[in-house]
Amino acid sequence: MENPGAGRFAPSPSGELHFGNLRTALLAWLFARSTGRRFLLRVEDLDRVRARAEESQLRDLAAVDVTWDGEVVRQSERGELYTAALDRLVADGRTFECFCTRRDIAEAASAAHGPVPLYPGTCRELSEEERQEHLRERPAALRFRSGGGTERFTDAVAGDHEGPVDDVVLRRNDGAVAYNLAVVVDDAAQGIDQVVRGDDLLPSTPTQLRLGRVLGFAPPSYAHVPLVLGPTGKRLAKRDGAVTLTDLAAEGLTAGAVRDALLRSLALPEGPLEQALAAFDPARLPREPWVFTGTLG
Ligand code: GLU
Protein backbone atom coordinates (compact mmCIF):
# COMPACT_ATOMS: atom_id res chain seq x y z
CA MET A 1 0.00 0.00 0.00
CA GLU A 2 1.22 3.48 -0.75
CA ASN A 3 2.27 5.51 2.28
CA PRO A 4 -0.67 7.83 2.98
CA GLY A 5 1.46 10.38 4.86
CA ALA A 6 0.53 11.85 8.20
CA GLY A 7 -0.57 15.02 9.95
CA ARG A 8 -0.16 15.69 13.65
CA PHE A 9 -0.98 17.71 16.71
CA ALA A 10 1.97 18.38 19.00
CA PRO A 11 0.96 20.04 22.26
CA SER A 12 3.39 21.05 24.99
CA PRO A 13 1.94 19.60 28.19
CA SER A 14 2.45 22.71 30.28
CA GLY A 15 -1.19 23.14 31.25
CA GLU A 16 -4.74 22.27 30.35
CA LEU A 17 -5.59 22.95 26.70
CA HIS A 18 -7.88 25.93 26.15
CA PHE A 19 -10.44 26.02 23.40
CA GLY A 20 -8.04 27.90 21.11
CA ASN A 21 -5.66 24.92 21.30
CA LEU A 22 -8.59 22.56 20.76
CA ARG A 23 -9.63 24.52 17.68
CA THR A 24 -6.12 24.19 16.20
CA ALA A 25 -6.21 20.44 16.97
CA LEU A 26 -9.59 20.12 15.25
CA LEU A 27 -8.20 21.87 12.19
CA ALA A 28 -5.11 19.65 12.12
CA TRP A 29 -7.41 16.61 12.32
CA LEU A 30 -9.61 17.93 9.50
CA PHE A 31 -6.62 18.70 7.26
CA ALA A 32 -5.18 15.21 7.80
CA ARG A 33 -8.37 13.22 7.54
CA SER A 34 -9.69 15.13 4.53
CA THR A 35 -6.52 14.23 2.63
CA GLY A 36 -6.51 10.55 3.65
CA ARG A 37 -3.58 10.99 5.98
CA ARG A 38 -2.95 9.36 9.31
CA PHE A 39 -3.20 11.65 12.32
CA LEU A 40 -0.54 11.41 15.02
CA LEU A 41 -0.27 12.86 18.47
CA ARG A 42 3.09 13.93 19.83
CA VAL A 43 3.59 15.24 23.34
CA GLU A 44 6.33 17.88 23.32
CA ASP A 45 7.51 17.30 26.87
CA LEU A 46 11.20 18.19 26.58
CA ASP A 47 10.67 20.71 29.35
CA ARG A 48 9.87 18.06 31.93
CA VAL A 49 9.50 20.44 34.80
CA ARG A 50 6.34 21.76 33.20
CA ALA A 51 5.15 18.48 31.70
CA ARG A 52 2.24 17.68 33.95
CA ALA A 53 -0.82 18.09 31.82
CA GLU A 54 -0.54 15.22 29.33
CA GLU A 55 -3.39 13.23 30.80
CA SER A 56 -5.89 16.08 30.80
CA GLN A 57 -4.82 17.14 27.30
CA LEU A 58 -5.42 13.69 25.81
CA ARG A 59 -8.76 13.44 27.63
CA ASP A 60 -9.90 16.83 26.32
CA LEU A 61 -8.85 16.11 22.73
CA ALA A 62 -10.84 12.87 22.76
CA ALA A 63 -13.80 14.71 24.32
CA VAL A 64 -14.05 17.00 21.26
CA ASP A 65 -13.71 13.95 18.96
CA VAL A 66 -10.09 14.52 17.95
CA THR A 67 -8.85 10.92 17.74
CA TRP A 68 -5.38 9.81 16.71
CA ASP A 69 -3.72 6.78 15.15
CA GLY A 70 -1.29 4.54 17.00
CA GLU A 71 0.56 5.27 20.19
CA VAL A 72 1.16 8.75 21.53
CA VAL A 73 4.81 9.72 21.03
CA ARG A 74 6.67 11.60 23.77
CA GLN A 75 9.73 13.72 23.04
CA SER A 76 11.17 12.91 26.46
CA GLU A 77 11.62 9.30 25.26
CA ARG A 78 13.40 10.13 22.02
CA GLY A 79 16.72 11.59 23.13
CA GLU A 80 18.79 9.20 21.00
CA LEU A 81 17.17 10.38 17.78
CA TYR A 82 17.95 14.01 18.58
CA THR A 83 21.52 13.20 19.59
CA ALA A 84 22.09 11.32 16.34
CA ALA A 85 20.84 14.30 14.30
CA LEU A 86 22.95 16.68 16.35
CA ASP A 87 26.05 14.52 15.85
CA ARG A 88 25.53 14.67 12.09
CA LEU A 89 25.15 18.44 12.14
CA VAL A 90 28.30 18.81 14.24
CA ALA A 91 30.26 16.47 11.91
CA ASP A 92 29.08 18.48 8.90
CA GLY A 93 30.20 21.77 10.44
CA ARG A 94 26.62 23.03 10.72
CA THR A 95 26.80 24.04 14.38
CA PHE A 96 28.77 26.41 16.56
CA GLU A 97 29.14 26.86 20.28
CA CYS A 98 27.50 29.89 21.81
CA PHE A 99 28.18 31.43 25.20
CA CYS A 100 25.77 34.36 25.01
CA THR A 101 23.35 35.00 27.83
CA ARG A 102 19.82 36.12 27.02
CA ARG A 103 20.87 39.59 28.02
CA ASP A 104 23.87 39.63 25.64
CA ILE A 105 21.54 38.71 22.80
CA ALA A 106 18.83 41.20 23.71
CA GLU A 107 21.42 43.99 23.86
CA ALA A 108 23.08 43.08 20.57
CA ALA A 109 19.73 42.49 18.86
CA SER A 110 18.29 45.82 19.92
CA ALA A 111 21.21 47.47 18.14
CA ALA A 112 20.35 45.56 14.94
CA HIS A 113 17.32 46.07 12.73
CA GLY A 114 14.43 44.04 11.36
CA PRO A 115 11.10 42.98 12.85
CA VAL A 116 12.26 39.54 14.06
CA PRO A 117 15.18 39.62 16.48
CA LEU A 118 17.68 37.20 14.96
CA TYR A 119 20.79 35.85 16.64
CA PRO A 120 23.31 38.68 16.22
CA GLY A 121 26.21 36.35 15.37
CA THR A 122 28.32 37.13 18.43
CA CYS A 123 29.85 33.63 18.84
CA ARG A 124 29.72 32.48 15.22
CA GLU A 125 33.44 32.89 14.55
CA LEU A 126 35.20 32.68 17.91
CA SER A 127 38.91 31.94 18.02
CA GLU A 128 40.06 28.90 19.98
CA GLU A 129 41.46 31.23 22.61
CA GLU A 130 38.14 33.08 23.04
CA ARG A 131 36.34 29.76 23.19
CA GLN A 132 38.57 28.47 25.99
CA GLU A 133 38.13 31.69 27.87
CA HIS A 134 34.32 31.47 27.67
CA LEU A 135 34.34 27.79 28.61
CA ARG A 136 35.99 28.65 31.90
CA GLU A 137 32.90 30.70 32.76
CA ARG A 138 30.00 28.66 31.46
CA PRO A 139 29.16 25.65 29.30
CA ALA A 140 28.30 26.29 25.66
CA ALA A 141 24.93 26.04 23.96
CA LEU A 142 25.01 24.63 20.44
CA ARG A 143 23.52 26.72 17.64
CA PHE A 144 22.60 25.96 14.05
CA ARG A 145 25.10 27.37 11.54
CA SER A 146 22.21 28.08 9.23
CA GLY A 147 23.87 30.16 6.53
CA GLY A 148 21.25 32.89 7.07
CA GLY A 149 19.28 34.39 4.22
CA THR A 150 15.64 33.43 3.80
CA GLU A 151 13.44 30.48 2.91
CA ARG A 152 10.25 30.68 0.94
CA PHE A 153 7.28 28.33 1.01
CA THR A 154 3.61 28.23 0.17
CA ASP A 155 1.34 27.85 3.16
CA ALA A 156 -2.14 26.38 2.69
CA VAL A 157 -3.65 29.19 4.81
CA ALA A 158 -1.09 32.00 5.02
CA GLY A 159 -0.21 31.79 1.28
CA ASP A 160 3.25 32.54 -0.12
CA HIS A 161 5.61 33.30 2.69
CA GLU A 162 9.27 34.21 2.81
CA GLY A 163 11.11 34.77 6.05
CA PRO A 164 14.57 34.93 7.59
CA VAL A 165 16.48 31.84 8.70
CA ASP A 166 18.04 32.08 12.15
CA ASP A 167 20.98 30.45 13.91
CA VAL A 168 18.66 28.96 16.54
CA VAL A 169 19.76 27.03 19.61
CA LEU A 170 19.74 23.26 19.00
CA ARG A 171 21.01 22.22 22.41
CA ARG A 172 20.81 24.48 25.41
CA ASN A 173 23.80 24.99 27.65
CA ASP A 174 22.21 22.69 30.27
CA GLY A 175 22.28 19.88 27.69
CA ALA A 176 18.54 19.94 26.90
CA VAL A 177 17.53 19.51 23.26
CA ALA A 178 15.73 22.56 21.91
CA TYR A 179 12.28 22.65 20.30
CA ASN A 180 13.45 23.58 16.79
CA LEU A 181 15.68 20.52 16.51
CA ALA A 182 13.21 18.09 18.07
CA VAL A 183 10.28 19.22 15.93
CA VAL A 184 12.20 18.84 12.67
CA VAL A 185 13.67 15.45 13.59
CA ASP A 186 10.35 14.11 14.87
CA ASP A 187 8.25 15.23 11.91
CA ALA A 188 10.68 13.47 9.56
CA ALA A 189 11.08 10.35 11.71
CA GLN A 190 7.31 9.99 12.11
CA GLY A 191 6.62 10.35 8.38
CA ILE A 192 4.71 13.60 8.96
CA ASP A 193 4.34 15.40 5.65
CA GLN A 194 1.65 17.88 6.69
CA VAL A 195 2.19 20.38 9.51
CA VAL A 196 -0.89 22.25 10.71
CA ARG A 197 -0.36 24.56 13.69
CA GLY A 198 -1.04 28.04 15.04
CA ASP A 199 0.23 30.96 13.02
CA ASP A 200 2.32 32.12 15.98
CA LEU A 201 4.83 29.54 14.69
CA LEU A 202 5.00 30.98 11.17
CA PRO A 203 8.28 32.86 11.92
CA SER A 204 9.97 29.55 12.95
CA THR A 205 9.12 27.80 9.73
CA PRO A 206 11.89 29.14 7.42
CA THR A 207 14.50 28.02 9.96
CA GLN A 208 12.85 24.62 10.41
CA LEU A 209 12.71 24.16 6.63
CA ARG A 210 16.42 24.95 6.33
CA LEU A 211 17.33 22.63 9.20
CA GLY A 212 15.31 19.82 7.62
CA ARG A 213 16.99 20.40 4.28
CA VAL A 214 20.46 20.30 5.83
CA LEU A 215 19.53 17.00 7.50
CA GLY A 216 18.33 15.64 4.16
CA PHE A 217 14.59 15.53 4.97
CA ALA A 218 11.81 16.20 2.47
CA PRO A 219 9.90 19.37 3.45
CA PRO A 220 6.35 18.87 4.79
CA SER A 221 3.44 20.98 3.58
CA TYR A 222 2.38 23.71 5.98
CA ALA A 223 -0.88 25.26 7.11
CA HIS A 224 -0.58 27.95 9.77
CA VAL A 225 -4.02 28.65 11.11
CA PRO A 226 -5.19 31.87 12.78
CA LEU A 227 -5.29 31.75 16.55
CA VAL A 228 -8.17 32.52 18.86
CA LEU A 229 -7.64 35.91 20.48
CA GLY A 230 -8.93 37.06 23.85
CA PRO A 231 -11.00 40.23 24.34
CA THR A 232 -7.86 42.40 24.55
CA GLY A 233 -6.66 41.19 21.15
CA LYS A 234 -3.85 39.10 22.61
CA ARG A 235 -3.66 35.34 22.08
CA LEU A 236 -6.28 33.52 24.20
CA ALA A 237 -5.02 32.61 27.67
CA LYS A 238 -6.24 31.41 31.04
CA ARG A 239 -6.72 35.00 32.24
CA ASP A 240 -9.50 35.44 29.68
CA GLY A 241 -11.97 33.53 31.84
CA ALA A 242 -13.60 30.14 31.27
CA VAL A 243 -11.41 28.77 28.49
CA THR A 244 -10.71 25.11 29.32
CA LEU A 245 -13.22 22.27 29.09
CA THR A 246 -13.14 22.02 32.89
CA ASP A 247 -14.02 25.73 33.28
CA LEU A 248 -16.66 25.53 30.59
CA ALA A 249 -18.23 22.41 32.09
CA ALA A 250 -18.61 24.34 35.35
CA GLU A 251 -20.65 26.85 33.34
CA GLY A 252 -22.85 24.07 32.01
CA LEU A 253 -21.24 23.69 28.58
CA THR A 254 -20.59 20.09 27.53
CA ALA A 255 -17.55 19.10 25.45
CA GLY A 256 -19.96 18.51 22.55
CA ALA A 257 -21.26 22.07 22.85
CA VAL A 258 -17.70 23.42 22.86
CA ARG A 259 -16.86 21.34 19.77
CA ASP A 260 -19.96 22.77 18.07
CA ALA A 261 -19.00 26.35 18.94
CA LEU A 262 -15.55 25.74 17.48
CA LEU A 263 -17.04 24.28 14.31
CA ARG A 264 -19.37 27.28 14.00
CA SER A 265 -16.38 29.62 14.27
CA LEU A 266 -14.93 27.78 11.27
CA ALA A 267 -18.19 27.98 9.30
CA LEU A 268 -18.45 24.18 9.45
CA PRO A 269 -21.51 22.03 10.28
CA GLU A 270 -21.99 21.17 13.95
CA GLY A 271 -22.30 17.68 15.37
CA PRO A 272 -20.01 14.67 15.01
CA LEU A 273 -16.92 15.50 12.97
CA GLU A 274 -17.88 13.35 9.99
CA GLN A 275 -20.15 16.10 8.71
CA ALA A 276 -17.53 18.79 9.21
CA LEU A 277 -15.09 16.55 7.39
CA ALA A 278 -17.39 16.22 4.39
CA ALA A 279 -17.78 20.02 4.23
CA PHE A 280 -14.15 20.92 4.97
CA ASP A 281 -12.46 23.09 2.35
CA PRO A 282 -9.15 24.77 3.34
CA ALA A 283 -9.73 27.49 0.74
CA ARG A 284 -12.84 28.62 2.65
CA LEU A 285 -11.36 28.77 6.13
CA PRO A 286 -11.54 32.13 7.90
CA ARG A 287 -8.22 33.93 7.39
CA GLU A 288 -8.68 36.21 10.38
CA PRO A 289 -8.20 35.38 14.06
CA TRP A 290 -11.35 34.57 15.98
CA VAL A 291 -11.88 37.05 18.81
CA PHE A 292 -13.44 35.57 21.93
CA THR A 293 -15.59 38.16 23.66
CA GLY A 294 -16.50 36.27 26.83
CA THR A 295 -19.12 33.82 25.64
CA LEU A 296 -18.69 30.78 23.45
CA GLY A 297 -21.11 30.39 20.62
N1 GLU B 1 4.59 22.17 20.91
C1 GLU B 1 4.37 23.38 20.19
C2 GLU B 1 3.34 24.23 20.91
O1 GLU B 1 2.55 23.68 21.67
C3 GLU B 1 3.85 23.15 18.79
C4 GLU B 1 4.91 22.71 17.88
C5 GLU B 1 4.45 22.53 16.44
O2 GLU B 1 3.24 22.32 16.19
O3 GLU B 1 5.33 22.55 15.60
O4 GLU B 1 3.32 25.42 20.71
Side-chain angles (χ1 to χ4, degrees):
M1 208 178 73
E2 219 176 294
N3 182 352
R8 46 75 156 183
F9 185 61
S12 307
S14 51
E16 244 178 290
L17 295 173
H18 57 56
F19 67 82
N21 307 130
L22 293 171
R23 186 175 185 256
T24 301
L26 261 176
L27 282 167
W29 186 94
L30 287 164
F31 267 93
R33 295 289 191 228
S34 65
T35 50
R37 285 179 165 87
R38 302 172 70 228
F39 186 67
L40 309 180
L41 201 79
R42 182 171 73 233
V43 177
E44 302 212 316
D45 58 349
L46 285 175
D47 193 350
R48 290 210 210 195
V49 190
R50 296 164 62 223
R52 296 206 187 92
E54 176 185 321
E55 205 182 306
S56 81
Q57 293 192 339
L58 300 188
R59 180 196 65 212
D60 290 352
L61 287 166
V64 294
D65 294 347
V66 172
T67 52
W68 54 91
D69 297 309
E71 299 281 315
V72 171
V73 159
R74 288 178 196 85
Q75 289 189 326
S76 58
E77 295 166 0
R78 296 161 70 81
E80 283 173 27
L81 265 181
Y82 311 136
T83 307
L86 210 48
D87 288 349
R88 276 170 54 204
L89 291 166
V90 171
D92 291 346
R94 297 308 300 250
T95 62
F96 62 92
E97 289 177 321
C98 172
F99 301 92
C100 293
T101 60
R102 271 174 213 274
R103 191 160 158 212
D104 293 337
I105 294 173
E107 281 170 8
S110 68
H113 39 264
V116 193
L118 299 176
Y119 178 66
T122 321
C123 294
R124 209 180 281 136
E125 310 295 343
L126 291 182
S127 68
E128 184 53 28
E129 205 183 330
E130 290 169 319
R131 204 184 139 253
Q132 292 299 343
E133 204 173 297
H134 283 303
L135 269 175
R136 275 195 287 276
E137 281 179 27
R138 68 169 66 92
L142 215 52
R143 282 185 183 270
F144 180 33
R145 191 178 287 281
S146 69
T150 62
E151 287 283 342
R152 178 196 288 267
F153 62 101
T154 301
D155 188 280
V157 178
D160 283 338
H161 187 84
E162 182 172 3
V165 174
D166 196 9
D167 287 358
V168 286
V169 170
L170 302 174
R171 193 184 62 208
R172 299 191 327 217
N173 76 357
D174 63 1
V177 169
Y179 157 71
N180 280 297
L181 176 69
V183 76
V184 169
V185 169
D186 280 333
D187 283 344
Q190 293 185 271
I192 288 161
D193 63 349
Q194 181 191 57
V195 171
V196 179
R197 57 188 181 187
D199 63 10
D200 53 326
L201 285 165
L202 197 56
S204 312
T205 306
T207 300
Q208 292 176 7
L209 269 172
R210 175 78 56 82
L211 185 55
R213 169 120 52 76
V214 167
L215 284 165
F217 304 150
S221 65
Y222 287 98
H224 285 90
V225 301
L227 296 180
V228 178
L229 304 182
T232 59
K234 290 213 185 91
R235 139 166 41 149
L236 188 72
K238 297 270 155 66
R239 62 170 180 273
D240 295 321
V243 294
T244 65
L245 289 189
T246 310
D247 304 336
L248 292 161
E251 296 196 341
L253 227 56
T254 63
V258 174
R259 176 203 60 207
D260 286 347
L262 298 179
L263 290 169
R264 271 200 304 282
S265 80
L266 295 164
L268 288 168
E270 297 172 30
L273 293 190
E274 301 318 314
Q275 293 166 58
L277 190 56
F280 181 66
D281 176 2
R284 294 176 54 191
L285 279 179
R287 294 295 196 263
E288 298 300 318
W290 181 39
V291 184
F292 172 63
T293 50
T295 41
L296 255 198

